[in-house]
Amino acid sequence: MEYRKDDIVTVVIEDMGIDGEGIGKIDGFIFFVKDAVIGDEIEAKIMKVKKGYAYAKLTNIITPSSDRTNPRCQYHKQCGGCQIQALNYEKQLLFKTNKVKNNLQRIGGFSSALLEEIMEPIVGMDSPGQEPYRYRNKAQFPIGVDKNGKIITGFYAGRTHVIVPNTECALGAEENKRILEAVVRYMNENKITAYNEATGKGLVRHVLIRKGFATGELMTCVIINGDTLPHQDKLIAALSKIDGMTSICVSINKEQTNVIMGKSCHAIWGTDSITDVIGDVRFSISPLSFYQVNPIQTETLYRLALEYAGLTGNETVCDLYCGIGTISLFMAGRAKKVYGIEVVEQAIEDARKNAEHNGIGNAEFYVGKAEELLPKLYEENGLYADVICVDPPRKGCDAQCLATMVKMAPKRIVYVSCDSATLARDLKDLCANGYKLERICPVDMFPQTVHVETIVGLQRQEM
């Protein structure tokens, strides 16, 4: 049968793709349907037809899957954030486990038998007293106007820059709603304009909110397309009344860009950072700091990293892409010496402060790109490491960085990844150059989404 755009089809969803879309077949022809889950019998409207497959939009659920659940957020279909909120949590964990396993097999070339042997069960947010909601300690909300000129804030609809008005994200801290309402009210009362991406005009672009879950401290950072925030005393008066508010900052970003934060931030009230605690380490977090968004699962992840590193107190550790020193300082208590490398200067300043505030004297931090600085420290300064820990961005490790790691020949490598596809690619390289996979464990840092963190322990083979 030949399918055309706007045709309505009835299909049973048999699988899910890497972005959480449902996958069904009719006589071998494949349909990808957003918001459908395995086991659903649905009607869908075809949006785009390709050779052998089509993309379709869910229009009606004829028979819901036994794995379907009622999403907590009414905007989950429009918003691009929670792709699998309609899937029950047990099946979400299975989906993520299979995603990691499939990437390691397909891209990394690792056998199913090996993965069956060394892959540990995914760590989810399903322990007693936990729930897979309200876990995010950071959120960035765009500010704009609707078609009637009313100021709105919320999240971008999937794959667009169209704002879905919503101050009640089910993943974020409960305080977010009150903070956002205060910002919008201040803008309305003081005739403060919202930024327009198309024209480059308007003042307020985004609002960044951070929370220290262990301390209860809150930070609000307003990103503006200008030099000053008019009548800022009015905003300060409103925000400072909110329990836990510790820092109110402004970030200046006058570039016509999709980058949210400006290059610098300054406090207009309170401190220029907030604090949080992971394990026994207290961290100072500034607006530009990279800090894992799920503090509950972060502690689990870092304890696994410490376990995989196998530290006895005599090792030198090199932590690449170290951010504000979270893993570095977590490992410093068990290591002889830790070196951290990070490209963001503000993050390294925070890392040094964090080391000092925690009385940690065996951690040293350097600013620079890992792929450029690591070879220099190794070749010119003779840097040696018993253990190298890497926690790169989604694109994975740079080839030069991987090559230098292999030259340094640490006994163990601990790889923390937020993208199992680039992880699989990098593991294939390391295992072709003297390393063996020892342990793998997915950690669900991002419930209700398709994203999953994975931690891997590698051991140097005797040559």
Side-chain angles (χ1 to χ4, degrees), residues 173-240:
E174 291 184 355
E175 294 90 344
N176 290 354
K177 178 178 173 63
R178 189 174 171 193
I179 292 169
L180 292 171
E181 288 174 348
V183 172
V184 170
R185 187 164 56 248
Y186 149 79
M187 292 178 66
N188 284 325
E189 289 175 354
N190 295 280
K191 296 182 170 52
I192 308 296
T193 56
Y195 180 70
N196 184 310
E197 284 187 347
T199 64
K201 305 294 184 183
L203 185 65
V204 179
R205 302 174 69 127
H206 279 80
V207 176
L208 163 71
I209 303 173
R210 306 190 85 144
K211 180 178 180 179
F213 274 33
T215 61
E217 294 181 4
L218 292 168
M219 169 187 284
T220 302
C221 183
V222 182
I223 296 91
I224 60 172
N225 176 43
D227 295 311
T228 58
L229 194 59
H231 310 292
Q232 68 180 31
D233 57 312
K234 304 284 181 61
L235 180 61
I236 290 168
L239 292 178
S240 59

Side-chain angles (χ1 to χ4, degrees), residues 320-321 370-372 374-375 378 388 390 392 395-410 413-415 422-431 433-435 458 460:
L320 310 183
Y321 312 94
E371 60 269 24
E372 295 173 1
L374 185 65
Y378 169 63
I388 290 181
V390 292
K395 65 180 181 179
C397 289
D398 182 273
Q400 179 65 28
C401 182
L402 287 173
T404 305
M405 287 165 60
V406 169
K407 281 183 191 174
M408 291 174 73
I413 294 174
V414 179
Y415 195 133
T422 55
L423 168 69
R425 179 202 68 201
D426 291 350
L427 292 180
K428 184 177 184 179
D429 185 298
L430 291 169
C431 289
N433 287 283
Y435 285 88
L458 298 105
R460 178 78 184 172

